[in-house]
Amino acid sequence: MSSTLPTDRPAGSVDPKHVDPKLLEILVCPLTKSTLEYDAEKQELVSRAAKLAYPIRDGIPIMLPEEARRLD
């Protein structure tokens, strides 16, 4: 029997803490259509124009304004 370490992932799987850079290039804020900044530490996409931070869950950006965190 082989043991699987928590850091081991099946071939072809995606790291949930990683967002595809190509995806980041095409995503825009759904409210303002402005560009987004990726905050890797907080796992959020930040829209300075809308003053919202959209969460990234399991590597998937949740681009719903009602799910976003307001920025002060």
Side-chain angles (χ1 to χ4, degrees):
M1 290 185 122
S2 66
S3 64
T4 303
L5 299 174
T7 56
D8 291 346
R9 288 186 303 276
S13 69
V14 176
D15 181 354
K17 294 281 186 187
H18 174 78
V19 177
D20 185 343
K22 289 182 183 180
L23 180 62
L24 293 176
E25 287 178 20
I26 61 171
L27 282 177
V28 296
C29 175
L31 296 177
T32 65
K33 308 300 186 240
S34 62
T35 58
L36 299 165
E37 297 173 25
Y38 176 46
D39 184 334
E41 185 178 311
K42 293 182 180 177
Q43 286 296 289
E44 294 177 328
L45 292 175
V46 177
S47 170
R48 299 277 175 213
K51 296 184 179 175
L52 293 173
Y54 297 94
I56 300 171
R57 297 184 187 131
D58 297 323
I60 301 169
I62 310 300
M63 302 305 296
L64 301 170
E66 58 271 17
E67 293 286 324
R69 178 177 64 84
R70 290 188 183 272
L71 301 175
D72 295 326

